[in-house]
Amino acid sequence: MNRITKASDGRLIVPDQPTIPYITGDGVGKEITPSMMEIVDTAIRRAYGTKRQIKWKEVLAGENAFKQTGSWLPAETLEKFEYYTVGIKGPLTTPIGEGIRSLNVALRQTLDLYVCLRPIRWYQGIITPILAPEKVNMTVFRENTEDIYAGIEWEEGTPEAQKFCKFLQDEMGVSNIRFPETSSFGVKPVSREGTERLVRAACQYAIENRLPSVTLVHKGNIMKYTEGGFRRWGCELAQREFGDAIASKKLIIKDCIADAFLQNTLLCPEEYSVIATLNLNGDYISDQLAAMVGGIGIAPGANINYNSGHAIFEATHGTAPSLAGKNVANPCSIILSAVMMLEYIEWQEAADLITRALERCFEDSRATFDLARFMPSGVSRSTTEFTHDVIERINN
Ligand code: NAD
């Protein structure tokens, strides 16, 4: 059978020739996704000969899906990701004015992919806006299913907003809505369960990867029960389930207010390792940290449910419409996401070959224009030229 599954002891069972569903993606997706697949196939061949191979299976989403099926996210696509457990995707256009808010959010919610995982490290040769990017080495665990991303909100002036306002004022005794007639309202659910599974995953990751600390980032000083709850429930969980590691100093649990954290990451990034945070904070934090090491063109990501094993690895940037079709887009985000995928299925040798090949490209000042333009002797390579640069370095 060519399907990745999860055993009862929690380990993934990965056949030598697993089927991996992929979404090509819109815009630059059509250029970066084939680049990633070529590089991954080369690395697997180099690491394992003919013993191992990925059987890629295209599934539809986004503009492609809409043109072919009339649906932006066909049910079959979700079924395939569910069935095959592990998949990867390029960027998708967010349909404007359609019933679906965001295809990415729909994918995450349907499979309950509760961790958005974003590792952030610097590669020698990449020019960044900070003086010492080598000090940045963090892994962000962003909660993916709760917070204001639950999409519970009502627009100013609608009967729903008025009803909600009246409920707050008449039944909940709320008297401090500054402009009740012209307010929109949003609800921010944050739960103990949601917090615990996220913080558990972050602590396990830190211990498995011998990383020194987990920092809970929150705004509990202002939002006492939601963000403050996240801090309290998270610290309690860590003490309860990882008390031995904490007592033996293998793991340090810290917490930091989100605004101070953003400042601290610029002033003393070396003090942080694994970060556990809520959905909206995680959105801001991931992009700032990515910018500190070279920008979203090179930032990988994954959405994971560590209980079911389901995982979708993804380019973190959008469809970059102004670059699409020009063979100039940087494929590194989806390539590094594929590296994360290979690590997730424990094909570490292939993952390492790709990482090393990318490092050597940057050391040789070879990159796509978005990175090469800042390198003192940068050579701007097209997407296909850069793909060949990486493949050459995997093979030699
Ligand atoms: P974007 O990420 O597409 O572009 C932001 C900037 O980064 C642009 O200057 C772009 O040229 C540059 N950029 C992005 N990817 C690059 C790459 N691979 N190489 C070099 N430069 C790159 O964000 P946007 O313009 O706000 O969004 C465009 C579309 O993408 C929208 O429909 C949006 O909803 C969607 N989007 C999708 C995802 C996703 O699927 N994960 C994420 C963000 C935005």
Side-chain angles (χ1 to χ4, degrees):
M1 190 166 64
N2 290 333
R3 180 184 161 206
I4 296 173
T5 51
K6 191 150 195 202
S8 52
D9 67 358
R11 284 181 68 87
L12 279 188
I13 302 171
V14 183
D16 279 338
Q17 311 224 328
T19 298
I20 302 236
Y22 71 95
I23 294 170
T24 302
D26 300 322
V28 294
K30 294 185 185 66
E31 292 144 76
I32 61 170
T33 303
S35 156
M36 174 276 293
M37 288 159 64
E38 214 183 322
I39 287 170
V40 168
D41 288 344
T42 306
I44 292 173
R45 244 190 334 268
R46 178 91 180 141
Y48 313 113
T50 51
K51 185 174 183 298
R52 285 182 173 169
Q53 187 191 17
I54 287 179
K55 303 276 184 198
W56 300 103
K57 183 180 193 64
E58 183 163 23
V59 291
L60 298 177
E63 283 167 358
N64 230 354
F66 190 69
K67 276 190 209 131
Q68 291 186 40
T69 69
S71 162
W72 287 91
L73 186 57
E76 199 192 337
T77 297
L78 290 166
E79 284 159 20
K80 291 280 184 286
F81 278 127
E82 165 125 57
Y83 182 75
Y84 288 107
T85 310
V86 172
I88 190 163
K89 63 173 277 293
L92 294 171
T93 304
T94 303
I96 295 172
E98 298 286 328
I100 201 159
R101 256 177 192 246
S102 154
L103 299 173
N104 295 308
V105 174
L107 275 169
R108 287 169 202 169
Q109 286 183 349
T110 309
L111 294 173
D112 196 24
L113 305 174
Y114 60 86
V115 170
C116 177
L117 182 64
R118 297 276 177 94
I120 292 117
R121 61 155 281 196
W122 175 70
Y123 289 86
Q124 180 96 34
I126 302 278
I127 305 299
T128 82
I130 62 169
L131 285 177
E134 70 280 2
K135 291 183 180 170
V136 182
N137 193 354
M138 296 184 218
T139 307
V140 178
F141 279 71
R142 167 186 170 192
E143 205 291 324
N144 228 358
T145 61
E146 299 196 295
D147 203 350
I148 57 155
Y149 282 70
I152 310 169
E153 55 173 4
W154 299 284
E155 193 180 359
E156 172 248 339
T158 59
E160 291 82 5
Q162 284 161 4
K163 188 173 174 182
F164 187 66
C165 183
K166 201 164 166 354
F167 167 74
L168 291 177
Q169 290 174 323
D170 296 351
E171 295 186 43
M172 301 300 287
V174 174
S175 59
N176 54 355
I177 301 171
R178 183 68 186 83
F179 299 109
E181 298 301 321
T182 58
S183 288
S184 292
F185 294 92
V187 175
K188 175 184 172 80
V190 176
S191 69
R192 182 195 291 269
E193 282 109 308
T195 300
E196 286 186 348
R197 64 181 184 173
L198 187 273
V199 174
R200 180 180 296 117
C203 291
Q204 268 162 358
Y205 182 93
I207 290 171
E208 276 163 23
N209 292 282
R210 297 172 193 278
L211 297 168
S213 65
V214 174
T215 304
L216 307 185
V217 180
H218 59 88
K219 282 289 288 179
N221 53 333
I222 305 297
M223 292 167 270
K224 310 267 184 210
Y225 303 125
T226 50
E227 305 241 349
F230 177 85
R231 174 185 173 279
R232 185 162 61 82
W233 297 321
C235 289
E236 286 169 2
L237 177 285
Q239 271 305 336
R240 203 166 58 239
E241 296 189 7
F242 301 93
D244 289 349
I246 294 170
S248 62
K249 306 258 185 301
K250 283 195 188 119
L251 180 65
I252 298 168
I253 303 292
K254 308 191 263 190
D255 84 287
C256 190
I257 303 285
D259 40 322
F261 177 76
L262 286 172
Q263 173 176 247
N264 292 351
T265 53
L266 290 167
L267 297 175
C268 45
E270 68 277 15
E271 289 185 8
Y272 299 105
S273 177
V274 176
I275 312 303
T277 192
L278 299 99
N279 211 333
L280 182 62
N281 296 335
D283 197 5
Y284 301 146
I285 289 168
S286 310
D287 274 20
Q288 179 187 296
L289 295 179
M292 286 164 60
V293 294
I296 51 173
I298 193 177
N303 300 290
I304 302 177
N305 181 322
Y306 285 96
N307 298 327
S308 67
H310 284 108
I312 300 182
F313 297 80
E314 64 175 357
T316 57
H317 55 75
T319 57
S322 66
L323 307 181
K326 296 183 180 158
N327 193 21
V328 294
N330 185 348
C332 285
S333 174
I334 195 161
I335 294 170
L336 287 166
S337 300
V339 168
M340 290 172 71
M341 180 177 81
L342 292 168
E343 288 172 343
Y344 187 71
I345 64 171
E346 297 185 5
W347 290 13
Q348 190 65 46
E349 298 80 3
D352 290 344
L353 280 172
I354 300 175
T355 307
R356 186 65 202 122
L358 286 174
E359 284 170 351
R360 285 171 58 203
C361 281
F362 300 140
E363 282 160 13
D364 296 345
S365 299
R366 279 170 182 250
T368 45
F369 85 101
D370 54 312
L371 299 176
R373 63 187 157 164
F374 301 120
M375 296 172 169
S377 48
V379 185
S380 261
R381 307 289 278 165
S382 69
T383 311
T384 42
E385 285 168 343
F386 182 73
T387 306
H388 292 141
D389 289 342
V390 179
I391 287 176
E392 203 178 287
R393 284 160 181 77
I394 289 173
N395 283 328
N396 296 299

